[in-house]
Amino acid sequence: MVKNFRPYIASLPIVFRIVTHFIISRRKAKQFAQTTIAQIEKNYCHAVSEKVRKKTITSFAIYNPIVCDAFTQLHKRFTSKEEQKLLVYYFVMASMYDDFFDHHEMSVETIEKLTFLGDAYMPKTLDEMLIQSIHRYLLARVNNKTDYLSLFEHMFTAQKDSLLQFNADIDTETLLSITHRKGGYAVLMCYYYLQVVGSEAEKKCWYLLGTIIQMINDLFDTFKDSRAGIYTFANHSDSVIDIKTAYNNQVQLLKNAIREVKANPKNKRFFNYTLAAVYCLGFLAIEQLEKVAEKYGKKLPNFTELSRIDLVIDMELYKNRKRWISLFMLEGYSLN
């Protein structure tokens, strides 16, 4: 009996620290993002859309206290104000790019010219001008410009390929490739805005965590994506076993990479549990899909026929938060 409770008892102090850090830092991060966005609008004489504003604030308030702080903790500190500022700039730019692609506001060719022609491209709208200015601002402040630009190209290609996700005939292999590249490169970009020199093992973790975060987004957005005609690894199959296998395979790759990271034991422990907290959200979503499959006869029905109650995972519910914390206590403990 005591042995069964050992992982939970051993995990309590670090889990309390992580949850407390997230709650406090998230509140501060939202305010910091709002202030920084206002400064961006003032500097470039252009207001971002309300959708971009909300998405930037939400993204920064999650990524900075969880993802970025987990990695800087390996170097015995949290992110600095200057690093946070660059991250807000990045999330504004990324959110605007998402709008361009999702709403087909301009052709892919035009987006490509805006992205890679630099000053040779003349912006035609204030939005284009703002993206070009932010890209220039960030490029001037990253340490390794060559690697950064190469990564930017990979990220753009993945974003462009994601347009294939509107095709119902897309195959699983292509879906997973797009999912992994889109999420992996987007999250790895954050590394270049931090003033740390990470090991290759750390960079591998950045990328793999990004692939998993994109998969989590797909798992949490099955209701919305299905109705928007977007096909993802999470809503394209009628087999919850296949979905679970694809997710678990990627988590195992991340676990292997985490074990390769060398750091002070105390800081590594914070890192282990924080990354476990992230990927356990996917476990929670898959458990809900398993219940849906059981309800409808082992196979998942067409997701457009399911209700919000079947598909939406409400993290405000006590039972979901409790289950999530229980999962990442065990997973974090297993990584030590």
Side-chain angles (χ1 to χ4, degrees):
M1 180 70 71
V2 174
K3 186 177 179 180
N4 292 338
F5 281 99
R6 186 175 297 161
Y8 297 103
I9 295 170
S11 299
L12 278 174
I14 187 66
V15 169
F16 178 78
R17 182 186 169 205
I18 289 169
V19 172
T20 301
H21 172 71
F22 175 62
I23 292 171
I24 295 172
S25 299
R26 187 167 179 257
R27 190 182 307 119
K28 293 179 180 178
K30 285 183 175 181
Q31 183 58 53
F32 183 85
Q34 289 170 345
T35 302
T36 305
I37 292 170
Q39 192 61 52
I40 290 171
E41 292 174 326
K42 180 180 178 181
N43 290 346
Y44 299 107
C45 302
H46 178 52
V48 301
S49 71
E50 192 57 30
K51 183 179 179 182
V52 167
R53 182 188 309 279
K54 287 181 179 178
K55 189 169 184 179
T56 298
I57 292 170
T58 299
S59 297
F60 177 74
I62 292 174
Y63 274 82
N64 191 68
I66 295 182
V67 177
C68 297
D69 277 348
F71 281 92
T72 55
Q73 265 286 283
L74 290 173
H75 303 269
K76 303 179 181 180
R77 67 175 179 84
F78 290 125
T79 51
S80 68
K81 291 299 181 185
E82 183 57 31
E83 289 168 333
Q84 292 175 26
K85 180 179 178 182
L86 296 183
L87 288 164
V88 175
Y89 270 71
Y90 168 61
F91 284 121
V92 169
M93 179 174 69
S95 298
M96 293 181 74
Y97 267 117
D98 283 345
D99 267 6
F100 288 163
F101 277 102
D102 293 348
H103 300 150
H104 310 290
E105 294 178 1
M106 63 176 74
S107 68
V108 174
E109 293 75 17
T110 301
I111 301 174
E112 197 160 9
K113 289 176 183 177
L114 168 64
T115 305
F116 299 112
L117 288 184
D119 293 339
Y121 179 81
M122 294 299 295
K124 297 178 179 61
T125 67
L126 290 174
D127 277 351
E128 289 184 22
M129 178 277 294
L130 183 56
I131 274 196
Q132 189 182 66
S133 298
I134 290 176
H135 183 37
R136 189 185 299 126
Y137 180 90
L138 291 172
L139 183 60
R141 286 161 177 80
V142 296
N143 289 327
N144 192 326
K145 291 180 174 56
T146 301
D147 284 359
Y148 175 76
L149 286 173
S150 175
L151 177 60
F152 207 100
E153 289 186 25
H154 286 310
M155 185 177 70
F156 178 84
T157 300
Q159 185 75 285
K160 182 169 64 174
D161 290 347
S162 70
L163 294 174
L164 296 172
Q165 291 183 257
F166 287 95
N167 181 359
D169 295 325
I170 190 170
D171 60 86
T172 301
E173 185 178 349
T174 301
L175 260 180
L176 286 173
S177 171
I178 292 170
T179 302
H180 294 162
R181 288 183 291 117
K182 184 179 177 182
Y185 292 132
V187 171
L188 182 55
M189 289 285 287
C190 296
Y191 164 76
Y192 288 88
Y193 305 127
L194 305 179
Q195 295 301 308
V196 297
V197 179
S199 65
E200 288 305 310
E202 285 177 53
K203 291 180 186 177
K204 188 188 294 185
C205 286
W206 274 105
Y207 179 83
L208 289 170
L209 182 64
T211 68
I212 287 169
I213 287 174
Q214 184 59 52
M215 294 178 92
I216 292 169
N217 288 342
D218 291 345
L219 286 163
F220 271 71
D221 289 345
T222 51
F223 181 81
K224 182 184 72 174
D225 288 341
S226 297
R227 278 147 184 77
I230 299 171
Y231 296 92
T232 70
F233 95 101
N235 71 2
H236 193 250
S237 173
D238 63 3
S239 170
V240 73
I241 294 175
D242 289 347
I243 294 169
K244 186 175 183 178
T245 299
Y247 187 75
N248 286 347
N249 287 345
Q250 210 61 19
V251 169
Q252 189 57 53
L253 290 176
L254 177 61
K255 286 182 178 181
N256 295 341
I258 289 172
R259 292 188 174 99
E260 294 175 12
V261 173
K262 307 299 181 187
N264 172 284
K266 179 181 177 182
N267 302 105
K268 179 69 183 293
R269 195 160 183 252
F270 185 94
F271 181 75
N272 291 350
Y273 274 87
T274 304
L275 267 59
V278 175
Y279 68 70
C280 281
L281 288 168
F283 292 159
L284 189 71
I286 288 170
E287 285 182 358
Q288 181 152 326
L289 284 183
E290 288 175 326
K291 292 175 184 175
V292 170
E294 186 69 28
K295 178 180 176 181
Y296 291 95
K298 304 300 182 183
K299 283 191 174 184
L300 293 168
N302 187 317
F303 279 33
T304 58
E305 299 170 3
L306 296 178
S307 67
R308 284 183 60 86
I309 294 174
D310 282 326
L311 296 177
V312 173
I313 301 103
D314 186 356
M315 289 307 295
E316 296 299 317
L317 293 178
Y318 171 74
K319 66 175 183 178
N320 285 339
R321 291 187 178 188
K322 180 183 176 182
R323 178 58 178 157
W324 168 61
I325 292 175
S326 173
L327 285 168
F328 92 75
M329 276 183 160
L330 290 174
E331 286 292 320
Y333 182 82
S334 73
L335 290 170
N336 290 327

